[in-house]
Amino acid sequence: MAPNFAARANQALIQSSPKWRLAIWLLLMLAASLWTLQLWQNGARVQSDILAMLPHLQQDKLTERALNQVEATLADQVYIALVAKNETTAIAAAKLLMQKLEDDLVARGKQGALTDIRSADIQLGEALGQFYFPHRFKLLTAPQAEALASQNIESLIEAATAQLYNAFSYANSNLLAQDPLLLFPANLLALPPSSKVRASQGILLANQGDNVAAVVMAKGRESAFNPNAQLAQMTALTQGLDAVKQSYPDITVLKAGALFHALAATQTAKSEISILGLASLLGVIALVWLAFRSVMPLLLAIVTISSGLLLAVTFTLSVFGELHLLTLVFGTSLIGIAIDYSFHFYCERLSDTERSAQATVAYIFPTVTLAFITSALAYVGIGLAPFPGMQQVAIFCAAGLLGAYLTLILAYPLLAGSRLPEGSRPLALAGTYLACLTQLSKRFTTPLGMGLFALVILVWCLGGVTKLTVDDDIRHLQQSPASVTEPENQLRQLLSGGTDNQFLLVRAPNEEALLQQLERVSPMLDAAITNQELGNYVSLSRYLPSHQKQDTAYRLQGEIYQTQLDQILASLGLDENLKPELQAAYLAAKTDYITPATFFTLEAGKQLAPLWLAPNEANSLVSNGALNDDGASADHGADQGADYGADYGAIVLLGGIQQIDALKARFAHDESVQLIDKVADISAVMGHYRLLTLKLLALALGIALLLFSLNFGFKKAAVVVAVPALAALLTLATLGLTGSPLSLFHALALILVFGIGIDYSLFFASAQNHGKAVMMAVFMSACSTLLAFGLLAFSQTQAIHYFGLTLSLGIGFTFLLSPLILTTTLALTTNQLLTTKKS
């Protein structure tokens, strides 16, 4: 059926009018151009967010919501530390920076790049004091509770007396009249987590050796991975920091936040797009000129590449609505693949100068079509990966190949009608190379030669594959430069480790049970800090005691206000007339509790609200609405609230993690506490899809064998498929010998090694006249592909480097092995003829 279809297609191509075909091609390109322009005008954009490339994790609703909350809260934070020789200078510099950022925000209004500019908030502490003081009878620190439980009132009286004579204490007559043992100040001081930082004049300070660092924080209004937002945020920061440097030239600046990682990634990607793309394009142009010494092949090569890139952008924007910068970096390799069709066309024209352009297209149509289908299927294999970015690469490159293929079929018959200059020299060189391979093949086709060849391949493959290691850690695929990571690490140390991407998700069936769970988890985390497994943590248990804990504190304080109040007032020299008021206040507080609903109405509560995950609509409004300044996400939270299930959840932020495995072990057998490690989860998904991709490659080889058997017969089809299969195996072995670990991106590249390499095998399997034209075309195709992917191997982004390195090795091995299909066939035929003559 396949040969009949090819024959009918060839006949149709020969009979069809080149002018009509060119007109159809022009209409297609015009339609694609207009549609792409429309997409850009309707909001299509270039995306630089590396997170957009990450795989989608299959999580339950509560876990998914927790991940979204943490990312929304932490993703766009910017931290600046101004390190000075003394506290006065550090505070002054920090105030100047905050003033400049505030001025920019006021000047730009809703277009301001940075919002929520802050350092320490003294008013926040006062607001917390006002909120908690009416609930003082429900609050006790651990030492206070222990003293009351053991009826050791004397120790509390001594502590209160010490505070009375301490010049820096909170004690005053008004506080004494309502809290005679001065228990409340200690409870207020226990609210924030322990940290190395302190506050002075509204500025957060930390010591760095003999110097003092003032810390300023802000939040980007838009995503740090948006190129326009990056520019606006960096402009505001640069202007502010320049003003600080002018006034305080000795200040050292430390910066941390996703903004600086995203900016480095964007600059790297843009640089590589321009450098790698330009180098690849110039290399292809030089290759075409040296081979054909004519302007027309050069112009048509540019037309082929341009039409491929146009359809690639059109399809990608139509499917995704955006184009990732890394897709463009990967897409530079399209130049080296799309041009292959032009090479095969012109090499066939050189081999038969009397054949017309239309007849040449018809002649190579069956093989080119089969090659296009197999390459497109290889890209479809890449699209099965869980990476949205790699799915974009698949669509981009498959559509680009379609553009090049249609240009060859529709435009070349008319545009490539002019004759070429004499091309005997390139063809002669190709013929000489094939002749040498034929002589070599004669030696390998003997039993001894085949045995030695197989032994060398076997030793190489076994030696390399056994040394091959695996690395699925996503962090190794995108590494920021030291200029970004070193200041960030210093700043994290100042902030007691900062906040890591890992966090705890605590869940319970109701609000009270959740609060009790949080209280049970906190001592375990305190023990982890003591064992240096963890630097710090932020938990709502500090701010929201459970009803059970509040009832316990209330009952214990009954020892003060119902039993020992006379003794306490006398010991502290207080008026005994205070007793009725104190007892009345104590009794009135019995049914008055601290609740999440009331706490989250505070400014401090709004900042912590994203850590609280309630299933009902009202709390969804609170927790989601607190994530931005204009309340835009509140309605979204209400809409989605019903989908989160019946469980309550709370997030415990972790910072300065030193021993992640030890932390996981602490909660390994507790179903209500889950350590969420998105990086580890993504790495596990990568490992899963790495194995799946390699299995897909094996399946593709099997399908190709069946498909080609219909056209070539089983034996020849087996040889055609064996070439890319052996090339992939040799590539894996070489990676093992060179110490390069195997990742998903290596496996995805092997899919392309198959898709591109099978083209070479197909053309050699279909070659006639000793294959000089095919050898020249394959040589040029391999050179252009190696130019593209070889350059990708020099990328600073590890994922792209792995991709380019694997493809370079794979295509190189395929180029060396694919001519053996032709030369081995010729050598075997010659040996058979000689054997027949002797017999």
Side-chain angles (χ1 to χ4, degrees), residues 7 520 545 691 784:
R520 182 178 58 83
L691 291 173
S784 63

Side-chain angles (χ1 to χ4, degrees), residues 50-58 320 379-394 472 474 477 678 681-694 696 743-745 747-748:
I50 189 68
L51 299 176
M53 286 197 72
L54 299 181
H56 299 299
L57 298 176
Q58 298 299 320
F320 298 98
Y379 282 115
V380 169
I382 286 182
L384 295 177
F387 286 76
M390 294 311 297
Q391 291 165 358
Q392 273 201 26
V393 170
D472 298 312
I474 188 70
L477 299 179
K678 186 175 181 179
D681 292 341
I682 292 173
S683 299
V685 170
M686 288 183 63
H688 169 73
Y689 278 93
R690 171 179 47 78
L691 291 173
L692 184 62
T693 303
L694 292 176
L696 179 66
S743 71
L744 174 60
F745 288 91
L748 292 173

Side-chain angles (χ1 to χ4, degrees), residues 546-565:
S546 65
H547 282 203
Q548 182 186 58
K549 186 175 182 180
Q550 292 181 65
D551 286 338
T552 300
Y554 184 81
R555 178 179 53 80
L556 289 173
Q557 290 200 50
E559 182 71 15
I560 299 173
Y561 296 101
Q562 293 183 327
T563 307
Q564 305 288 340
L565 190 55

Side-chain angles (χ1 to χ4, degrees), residues 483-706:
S483 59
V484 174
T485 57
E486 289 179 2
E488 181 173 271
N489 289 334
Q490 294 180 45
L491 185 48
R492 286 174 65 87
Q493 291 300 317
L494 291 176
L495 299 175
S496 302
T499 301
D500 291 317
N501 293 322
Q502 298 89 348
F503 61 91
L504 291 181
L505 174 60
V506 183
R507 61 182 75 210
N510 56 65
E511 187 175 282
E512 173 63 14
L514 180 58
L515 293 174
Q516 292 181 26
Q517 289 278 43
L518 288 172
E519 290 167 355
R520 182 178 58 83
V521 167
S522 291
M524 301 172 69
L525 293 175
D526 291 333
I529 292 176
T530 302
N531 291 342
Q532 297 184 342
E533 301 167 11
L534 183 67
N536 63 79
Y537 68 93
V538 178
S539 174
L540 287 171
S541 64
R542 299 180 185 275
Y543 302 90
L544 291 173
S546 65
H547 282 203
Q548 182 186 58
K549 186 175 182 180
Q550 292 181 65
D551 286 338
T552 300
Y554 184 81
R555 178 179 53 80
L556 289 173
Q557 290 200 50
E559 182 71 15
I560 299 173
Y561 296 101
Q562 293 183 327
T563 307
Q564 305 288 340
L565 190 55
D566 290 328
Q567 177 190 346
I568 293 169
L569 293 175
S571 299
L572 296 174
L574 300 176
D575 189 348
E576 63 181 12
N577 292 328
L578 293 174
K579 180 178 179 180
E581 294 181 11
L582 288 170
Q583 288 184 330
Y586 172 78
L587 292 173
K590 183 175 183 179
T591 58
D592 191 13
Y593 290 94
I594 301 168
T595 64
T598 55
F599 175 72
F600 291 140
T601 60
L602 298 176
E603 188 60 36
K606 290 178 181 178
Q607 293 180 15
L608 294 170
L611 304 183
W612 183 259
L613 309 171
N616 61 73
E617 184 172 330
N619 281 326
S620 293
L621 278 167
V622 173
S623 59
N624 282 282
L627 291 181
N628 57 28
D629 297 327
D630 56 10
S633 63
D635 292 336
H636 175 75
D639 294 339
Q640 298 296 328
D643 296 334
Y644 293 133
D647 277 353
Y648 281 75
I651 296 167
V652 180
L653 298 177
L654 306 176
I657 297 175
Q658 300 296 326
Q659 302 178 45
I660 186 70
D661 293 334
L663 273 178
K664 289 181 178 179
R666 287 183 180 273
F667 305 103
H669 304 293
D670 192 340
E671 295 182 357
S672 64
V673 182
Q674 181 182 1
L675 198 154
I676 305 296
D677 187 351
K678 186 175 181 179
V679 171
D681 292 341
I682 292 173
S683 299
V685 170
M686 288 183 63
H688 169 73
Y689 278 93
R690 171 179 47 78
L691 291 173
L692 184 62
T693 303
L694 292 176
K695 292 178 182 177
L696 179 66
L697 176 59
L699 178 63
L701 290 169
I703 293 174
L705 179 60
L706 293 176

Side-chain angles (χ1 to χ4, degrees), residues 269-341:
K270 287 181 177 179
S271 173
E272 290 179 355
I273 289 170
S274 57
I275 295 174
L276 300 184
L278 181 62
S280 179
L281 185 61
L282 292 177
V284 168
I285 290 173
L287 196 63
V288 173
W289 177 258
L290 290 174
F292 304 116
R293 302 301 178 104
S294 174
V295 174
M296 186 53 67
L298 193 56
L299 292 177
L300 278 182
I302 295 173
V303 169
T304 304
I305 293 170
S306 300
S307 59
L309 290 175
L310 174 61
L311 282 194
V313 172
T314 302
F315 273 72
T316 306
L317 292 179
S318 299
V319 174
F320 298 98
E322 63 182 19
L323 192 60
H324 202 288
L325 272 176
L326 290 183
T327 301
L328 292 175
V329 175
F330 278 109
T332 59
S333 62
L334 180 64
I335 296 171
I337 304 172
I339 200 66
D340 288 0
Y341 302 141

